[in-house]
Amino acid sequence: MTTLTLLTNAVLATMAPSEQPYGLIEAGAMVLSGGRIEWVGPGDALPAGNYNVQDLGGRLVTPGLIDAHTHVVFAGNRAAEFEMRLNGASYEDVARAGGGIVSTVTATRRATVDDLVQEALPRVDAMIAEGVTTLEIKSGYGLNVEAEIAMLQAARRIGELRSVSVHTTYLGAHAVPPEYGGRADAYIDEVALPALRAAQDLGLVDAVDGFCEGIAFTPAQIDRVFNVAQELGLPVKLHAEQLSDLGGGRLAASYGALSADHLEYLNESGVRAMAAAGTVATILPGAYYTLRETKAPPIDLLRAHGVPMALATDCNPGSSPMTSLPLAMNMGCTLFRMTPEEALAGVTCHAARALGLSDRGRLVPGLRADLAVWDVTHPAELSYRIGGAPLYQRIYGGTL
Ligand code: DI6
Ligand code: FE
């Protein structure tokens, strides 16, 4: 007879549909078996059984956190240009000194897969230490076939080295590399599409993303990338409306995208299209904060139209050098007026949906036993703190 793990004396933020905010169960208990959640409910309703009991002392249990938008694999960092800018250098000065996204591309191209893994692991470990059990990782700093594949291989390897579930996203259409300056269409034809096909042949791609923006790619160029994604049977997502309104939200929705991300400049017709398509809005306050943006995403409209909102770190060396998902929750609340309940949904059930995953993100029977146990008694405390998430214990696939 298999021994079941029983967690008792816990506050459960199940995030399941319920009368209670957060699907909260006070004095709750959970039974885990074979890496899955077997039973969830009030402790006094627990069915009899042969349990291996762990008393959680009244602590909060949430679904393991899901960071649904990261660029955590990259080489080098951009602290020097951060400092240059704060000492008065202009964007052009920084570019002339080899800074900006190009400097990350140069460093990433020089790195081996192993280098990329070693550089990313401390960041991934910081995420894990704050309760992350599922992590999306994008390519997009290689911008040639070999380096894009190396980034995706590094991402896969991280999922083997650590107890975290990694989901890869191909982002060849992230920036136009210097050797294709002024020739974005040629870059799409000669690099972005062939690299996508090659990466897919190697089984390295779970989803396809693009950066639709004046400084990156036009909707027509993104369309071409999404057409190939569709032909390959891959779901899409899009960096949309971060710095201007190019109709990226509508474009993403027209492909049934899993998510459209950033969305500061999203208008109501984009919100409606996303609602109709079931596309998740992934909110990224770290980039808004770092770039000192002033236009917040239309949270009220997204809420009014019932668009599910995810929250993610956007961890990247340029616009969001942040690994803390609980800090993203705090920023989502304080900068964008999301509620703490929306913030927690944004890093659990709605983040799962932004990755197309229906087997996690809530504490309900049948789902993966990916849990975070916190040294707090109410879920609002997770969003309330500015950094320093008090993780007590992380359970990944039923294992401590
Ligand atoms: N949006 C951003 O803000 C970044 N990428 C993206 O798609 C910036 C990436 C960088 O500066 O390295
Ligand atoms: Fe991003």
Side-chain angles (χ1 to χ4, degrees), residues 69 71 74 78 81 91 100-102 104-105 138 140-141 171 173-175 209-213 215-216 239 242-243 262 284 287-288 291 314 316-320:
H69 181 139
H71 310 248
F74 59 84
R78 309 243 286 273
E81 74 181 66
Y91 186 77
I101 193 165
V102 172
T104 301
V105 172
K138 301 177 194 295
Y141 288 116
L171 178 57
H174 186 201
D209 194 352
F211 189 15
C212 185
E213 194 56 68
I215 57 168
H239 286 68
Q242 181 186 6
L243 307 169
H262 286 287
L284 304 169
Y288 172 93
L291 299 176
D314 196 17
N316 77 67
S319 66
S320 193

Side-chain angles (χ1 to χ4, degrees), residues 138-181:
K138 301 177 194 295
S139 70
Y141 288 116
L143 308 183
N144 65 37
V145 178
E146 306 71 43
E148 284 295 301
I149 285 174
M151 286 188 73
L152 295 168
Q153 287 171 328
R156 284 274 194 253
R157 192 158 320 155
I158 287 165
E160 293 156 14
L161 292 172
R162 290 295 186 268
S163 58
V164 67
S165 166
V166 169
H167 294 263
T168 57
T169 300
Y170 172 76
L171 178 57
H174 186 201
V176 181
E179 66 272 21
Y180 279 92

